[in-house]
Amino acid sequence: MDSMAALKAAVSAFRVRDQAAFTTTARGEELRELREVIDALEVEFSSSARAFQLQGGHLANGCPGVVSWLRQNCKMSGTSAADRVCVGKQLEALPHTAKSLANGRLGFQSAAAICHLYEQAAEQRENLVEEALVVHAEQMGVAEVRDLCRRVRYVVDPEGSQRDEEFNFSRRRLHISALSDGMHVIDAILDPVGGAAVKTALEALATSGTRDGRKHSQRMADALVEMAHHAMDEGKLPTKRGVRAHLNVSTTLEALQGLPGAGASELESMPISQKTLERLCCDCTVSRVMFAESVPIDVGRATRAIHPAARRALRARDKHCRWPGCDRPINWTSPHHIEFWGRGGPTTPPNLLSLCWFHHRLVHEGGWQVVKAGEEYRFIPPQQMSVLKEWRARGPGYSRAA
Ligand SMILES: [Zn+2]
Ligand SMILES: [Zn+2]
């Protein structure tokens, strides 16, 4: 029997072993030993892949590189294949790593991290002390070994590390695409420093504020949207042909007044609900355009929905988002009209309330109602609102706090 047939027979025999009487201790021991066998086979695979490369076996099959040959023929990802080829190449000159791997003191993934360090360090590899690296790595988990190798690389090969950083930076990209239903997909890869900056800023927004039922991933998405709104609200983004970055909403007088049968308003050519229209209009600049038979015949001057003096008074009064328990500072809030201005609500402080992006959305789209009770504001959840409406419909005796 040749050696491959013998290995396959041994694996087949192992797969039908009697597991009925396995205790957790026995199973744990088996897992440890099994990993050692798999790691030993990984080393064999890596050495064999390297020998195949040196023989030019991949070229004979029309593949320009051994990695692409492994991807096609061994059902591996490019990263896994390159990892094995690197280990196969470097292990030839790393006796301490090879010995520790063979004894089972070093796992394959940790050995691979050391091999990658030697490959990356190239001419500076003379400055590495393999034996000391292996002694430390034997006491560590895989993530710690990778971290150790990264740090050692910065010490022995600072120029190479800088080159790698520049290469990583060149790989950055971000695509935002709109789906047919108007949802947006973001696909991005950022360099280590840029990624850390974005993550830190988003987490600062995602982890502060009220405790509510949102998942962390939803809070991170909200944080990104909130950051975009904040940047536009501050008006410090670069202008395009003299116009500040803003969202464009097209609507009609009927829709603003909430009249039944009014056509859908549009945000960047996508229809939006009446509730979203009202939220976006709480703090906006309005331009009137008159049409005659679909042709614009008059464009009025753009005016802010809220006068700067009213805005200043509101900032002095509110200081932060007025939602109970929310600590978003005032410059991260928008003025909400308790009675919508399109239906006659005044744009003066008694009818205005500072709310952060999420709580402003909760009031409009989420159906919460804000009720002024003396100097205080009460936030009534949607379920309670429907009960109140029912009481009101029942007739006399009910009066809404105002
Ligand atoms: Zn509002
Ligand atoms: Zn808030």
Side-chain angles (χ1 to χ4, degrees):
M1 195 190 292
D2 70 14
S3 51
M4 183 51 77
L7 181 60
K8 284 184 176 173
V11 171
S12 299
F14 179 76
R15 293 184 69 182
V16 294
R17 70 198 180 286
D18 182 14
Q19 300 184 52
F22 263 25
T23 61
T24 49
T25 315
R27 179 143 342 248
E29 189 52 39
E30 188 198 70
L31 283 170
R32 265 194 294 275
E33 289 186 29
L34 194 53
R35 182 45 57 187
E36 272 184 38
V37 174
I38 295 168
D39 281 358
L41 287 173
E42 286 280 20
V43 174
E44 286 310 309
F45 184 91
S46 304
S47 309
S48 189
R50 171 64 176 161
F52 186 69
Q53 183 186 32
L54 290 175
Q55 288 168 340
H58 55 289
L59 297 172
N61 286 272
C63 279
V66 70
V67 171
S68 55
W69 188 92
L70 289 171
R71 276 176 49 211
Q72 287 172 27
N73 294 275
C74 300
K75 302 181 180 68
M76 298 174 83
S77 71
T79 319
S80 299
D83 201 45
R84 279 21 175 220
V85 174
C86 169
V87 172
K89 182 180 172 189
Q90 298 300 330
L91 264 191
E92 294 165 0
L94 297 176
H96 295 287
T97 312
K99 190 175 165 197
S100 180
L101 198 49
N103 292 338
R105 290 201 299 271
L106 200 62
F108 181 80
Q109 287 175 293
S110 296
I114 294 175
C115 290
H116 279 291
L117 171 64
Y118 271 81
E119 179 154 283
Q120 288 167 340
E123 312 94 78
Q124 309 301 327
R125 58 189 299 147
E126 304 306 320
N127 298 326
L128 293 166
V129 184
E130 190 209 351
E131 192 174 3
L133 255 177
V134 172
V135 168
H136 280 97
E138 284 176 353
Q139 316 300 321
M140 295 174 162
V142 178
E144 287 171 298
V145 174
R146 286 178 180 154
D147 187 49
L148 172 73
C149 289
R150 260 197 302 274
R151 288 166 191 275
V152 169
R153 171 89 195 287
Y154 271 84
V155 175
V156 300
D157 182 21
E159 282 181 22
S161 302
Q162 165 75 30
R163 269 199 312 277
D164 283 1
E165 274 184 18
E166 281 308 295
F167 173 70
N168 282 337
F169 185 66
S170 73
R171 291 166 57 213
R172 74 200 182 283
R173 60 177 165 74
L174 191 148
H175 300 289
I176 300 186
S177 37
L179 304 178
S180 56
D181 60 359
M183 297 291 279
H184 284 68
V185 176
I186 299 180
D187 167 41
I189 181 163
L190 299 175
D191 71 288
V193 180
V198 173
K199 187 167 181 276
T200 305
L202 292 185
E203 279 187 338
L205 283 169
T207 54
S208 72
T210 48
R211 295 280 147 259
D212 47 50
R214 281 181 288 167
K215 288 187 270 186
H216 182 69
S217 54
Q218 290 174 321
R219 297 182 76 104
M220 289 293 271
D222 291 350
L224 182 64
V225 174
E226 194 176 357
M227 244 170 35
H229 278 292
H230 179 66
M232 287 194 285
D233 290 346
E234 285 221 303
K236 291 178 181 168
L237 292 173
T239 56
K240 202 172 177 182
R241 292 190 208 100
V243 179
R244 290 199 321 209
H246 67 286
L247 294 178
N248 233 341
V249 177
S250 308
T251 184
T252 59
L253 208 52
E254 292 75 27
L256 279 175
Q257 292 171 328
L259 298 178
S265 307
E266 288 188 359
L267 170 73
E268 311 291 342
S269 305
M270 281 295 295
I272 52 168
S273 69
Q274 181 66 20
K275 289 174 177 180
T276 304
L277 170 76
E278 291 183 4
R279 172 165 60 88
L280 296 172
C281 287
C282 264
D283 185 18
C284 66
T285 301
V286 188
S287 296
R288 175 180 51 83
V289 183
M290 288 181 74
F291 289 88
E293 293 174 357
S294 307
V295 178
I297 53 165
D298 180 39
V299 179
R301 261 186 49 209
T303 49
R304 293 289 287 174
I306 299 174
H307 193 273
R311 196 179 292 270
R312 279 196 296 277
L314 191 65
R315 282 171 172 259
R317 187 195 71 189
D318 285 351
K319 298 188 177 60
H320 56 80
C321 171
R322 293 294 296 266
W323 191 274
C326 184
D327 57 1
R328 276 291 191 276
I330 190 73
N331 56 344
W332 282 81
T333 63
S334 305
H336 164 65
H337 289 73
I338 297 169
E339 191 186 348
F340 183 46
W341 64 263
R343 283 194 288 271
T347 57
T348 49
N351 189 45
L352 299 174
L353 190 69
S354 302
L355 290 174
C356 71
W357 173 81
F358 178 68
H359 290 129
H360 196 197
R361 198 183 182 284
L362 218 52
V363 168
H364 285 278
E365 285 95 328
W368 284 66
Q369 188 103 354
V370 185
V371 178
K372 196 159 187 271
E375 287 305 300
E376 289 304 308
Y377 296 92
R378 286 177 53 214
F379 293 80
I380 303 168
Q383 310 86 321
Q384 219 169 320
M385 264 325 288
S386 54
V387 174
L388 287 176
K389 276 181 189 160
E390 200 181 310
W391 285 350
R392 186 160 49 173
R394 276 185 196 157
Y398 175 79
S399 71
R400 197 176 137 197

